[in-house]
Amino acid sequence: MQVTLRHANQPEVSFACEAAETVVTAARRAAITIHVACEQGGCGACRARIVAGTVHYPLPASARWLDEASGSDCYALLCRAVPTSALVIETAHPWRHVENSPLSRLIGR
Amino acid sequence: MAISRFSYASMNVMDVEAAAQHYVHVVGLRETDRDTDGRVYLQAADTQDHHCVILNPAKTAGVDHLGFKVSDRADLDEAAAAVTAYGLPVTRIPAGAVKGQGEGVRFPLPSGQQMLLYFHADKVGYLTGMENPSPVSAHSTPGGRVTHLDHTLISAQNPQDDVKFLTEVLDFSLTEKVIDPAGNTLAAFLTCSHTMHDLAIGPGPDGTFHHMAFGMDSRTEVIHGVDLLKEKAVPALEYGITRHGIAGVTTIYFHDPSGNRNEFYNGAYLAPGAPGWVPPIVWQAEHFPRGAFYYENAVPEAFFAEVT
């Protein structure tokens, strides 16, 4: 699945997400670090607005952050969300690009 | 009124079995009981009562209620009357409604988190037993060498409202506070026992849980705890191992499998919980980064924003 991240003042990025892979894990493979804290679906640090597409949760995610959708807005916890379609997401925090140095490529970060 | 200690945190978790594994094999608690509603009860090595953590099956992470022990059964009536007079709703909790525990009174803080006061707890004894025990019980757990549940930090939009209630109605003592240039309280550290904080209030959304801290015997044990967290690949170790400027304690934070924040820590100073005996240390907001994280001299904004 294709995942596209958007954030104010940052050029949008896209990367591929494997089946059963979370958005955060797929982003890491693409050398993009998404802001997370607990990485356990609880704290809401990675909460982001879904602009287009759908996700599912193989592991638990705290309903507190998912039930607060207002109007047509829909939110996801990126540390636990696995895309079920192409996704466009607006993140609450900027992401970081891991420098694409030979060493970074070698160690996969 | 005599609230004698912070005794337990009743936590909401999305996966009870994963949480129980974490609190036994990472934190170092022992499972003491289960109930028919699927709750798991756990206790630290050096506390005799039935539980210091309760895990409730839930859809959302966070705290269900915080348990505080009073030193006399009659304190429950006094507390219920005082809290009602203050204008907060009090609910009487029958004995056994929380397993291993006598009757209690439950009410919300001004910031919304629920407190439960009780007198009786069933005893499970110390980890190494009650007759001719080993003096190193915390070394007998598979997880961190935790001796006891020490304190909790909750979040409030207006921490001063909680401070006023806790000091004026429940006889907590304020040991340290962080103030903004206008003198408003940004964070507060309160004691009802013998240590500098049983309950702390930080800036953040009402009704939310920031962390609970598990005490260890020495800084060395905290280092051992960090090794354990790394070896078990427990995610998101924020800052640390570091020191807080406030209380000077050695600390590391991590998360349970539902994202509730835990702390291993050592070294708080002693402070009598009698109201007004120890005038509070005051931190101006501009010095708060040093107070929060002494080595880094910085507070990541997310540290207070990310709560369950």
Side-chain angles (χ1 to χ4, degrees):
Chain A
M1 303 291 180
Q2 181 84 357
V3 176
T4 302
L5 301 183
R6 289 181 185 165
H7 182 75
N9 307 322
Q10 220 171 351
E12 77 176 35
V13 294
S14 293
F15 50 88
C17 196
E18 304 286 338
E21 193 173 46
T22 66
V23 174
V24 164
T25 306
R28 276 197 188 122
R29 271 198 308 107
I32 294 160
T33 305
I34 291 175
H35 177 82
V36 295
C38 76
E39 280 201 74
Q40 312 265 22
C43 77
C46 61
R47 184 174 183 260
R49 194 171 73 86
I50 298 183
V51 178
T54 51
V55 298
H56 79 118
Y57 294 93
L59 292 170
S62 180
R64 179 199 295 274
W65 310 110
L66 302 176
D67 290 351
E68 283 179 0
S70 59
S72 59
D73 286 351
C74 183
Y75 291 93
L77 292 177
L78 302 184
C79 73
R80 286 275 160 96
V82 172
T84 47
S85 76
L87 266 188
V88 181
I89 295 164
E90 191 175 271
T91 64
H93 299 270
W95 59 84
R96 288 186 296 111
H97 289 273
V98 177
E99 199 178 357
N100 199 16
S101 71
L103 180 60
S104 294
R105 280 202 302 275
L106 193 66
I107 62 178
R109 294 302 291 260
Chain B
M1 174 108 38
I3 298 177
S4 60
R5 59 172 301 197
F6 169 51
S7 327
Y8 72 92
S10 179
M11 300 304 302
N12 295 327
V13 295
M14 288 94 74
D15 182 338
V16 169
E17 292 310 323
Q21 283 289 315
H22 169 86
Y23 283 100
V24 171
H25 291 279
V26 176
V27 177
L29 305 183
R30 53 195 157 131
E31 186 177 320
T32 56
D33 212 344
R34 294 195 175 216
D35 70 20
T36 51
D37 293 319
R39 296 189 192 90
V40 178
Y41 298 76
L42 304 110
Q43 182 54 278
D46 289 357
T47 309
Q48 292 193 26
D49 287 0
H50 183 263
H51 53 260
C52 71
V53 170
I54 304 174
L55 303 173
N56 304 290
K59 285 186 163 24
T60 290
V63 62
D64 181 77
H65 68 271
L66 299 168
F68 289 79
K69 233 173 150 176
V70 296
S71 54
D72 190 292
R73 209 176 289 274
D75 289 330
L76 296 178
D77 293 331
E78 191 189 336
V83 173
T84 302
Y86 196 76
L88 292 168
V90 173
T91 308
R92 288 278 183 169
I93 306 296
V98 178
K99 202 168 182 186
Q101 205 165 292
E103 63 178 316
V105 294
R106 179 171 170 148
F107 50 85
L109 285 162
S111 55
Q113 295 88 347
Q114 298 279 325
M115 280 179 82
L116 194 155
L117 308 185
Y118 67 105
F119 169 70
H120 171 79
D122 290 354
K123 300 297 181 192
V124 295
Y126 299 123
L127 175 63
T128 53
M130 299 299 293
E131 286 183 25
N132 314 312
S134 160
V136 289
S137 56
H139 290 227
S140 307
T141 71
R145 292 170 185 169
V146 157
T147 56
H148 66 288
L149 175 65
D150 190 88
H151 66 267
T152 184
L153 170 60
I154 58 174
S155 299
Q157 287 284 108
N158 300 299
Q160 183 57 40
D161 294 347
D162 283 352
V163 173
K164 180 176 162 63
F165 172 70
L166 289 163
T167 55
E168 293 181 7
V169 179
L170 297 183
D171 286 348
F172 278 70
S173 187
L174 183 66
T175 55
E176 306 211 12
K177 67 176 176 178
V178 183
I179 57 169
D180 71 13
N184 301 310
T185 300
L186 295 176
F189 301 80
L190 299 118
T191 176
C192 61
S193 61
H194 58 276
T195 178
M196 62 78 57
H197 60 340
D198 292 280
L199 177 59
I201 320 289
D206 276 351
T208 57
F209 175 84
H210 189 275
H211 76 267
M212 61 179 145
F214 296 95
M216 292 176 150
D217 269 346
S218 68
R219 302 184 79 191
T220 307
E221 300 296 12
V222 181
I223 293 168
H224 169 81
V226 177
D227 287 348
L228 181 84
L229 294 170
K230 284 293 180 189
E231 194 248 335
K232 291 185 181 297
V234 175
L237 309 184
E238 300 177 335
Y239 280 174
I241 188 170
T242 183
R243 272 181 109 115
H244 291 315
I246 294 169
V249 300
T250 301
T251 172
I252 179 76
Y253 290 102
F254 52 102
H255 294 88
D256 79 11
S258 289
N260 298 307
R261 196 184 274 105
N262 298 162
E263 179 183 17
F264 283 153
Y265 105 118
N266 166 263
Y269 60 89
L270 303 180
W277 275 29
V278 180
I281 288 173
V282 178
W283 294 81
Q284 274 94 30
E286 64 194 278
H287 296 284
F288 188 32
R290 190 164 62 87
F293 292 102
Y294 182 58
Y295 292 163
E296 293 81 1
N297 192 17
V299 189
E301 195 183 334
F303 182 67
F304 284 106
E306 281 139 21
V307 291
T308 56

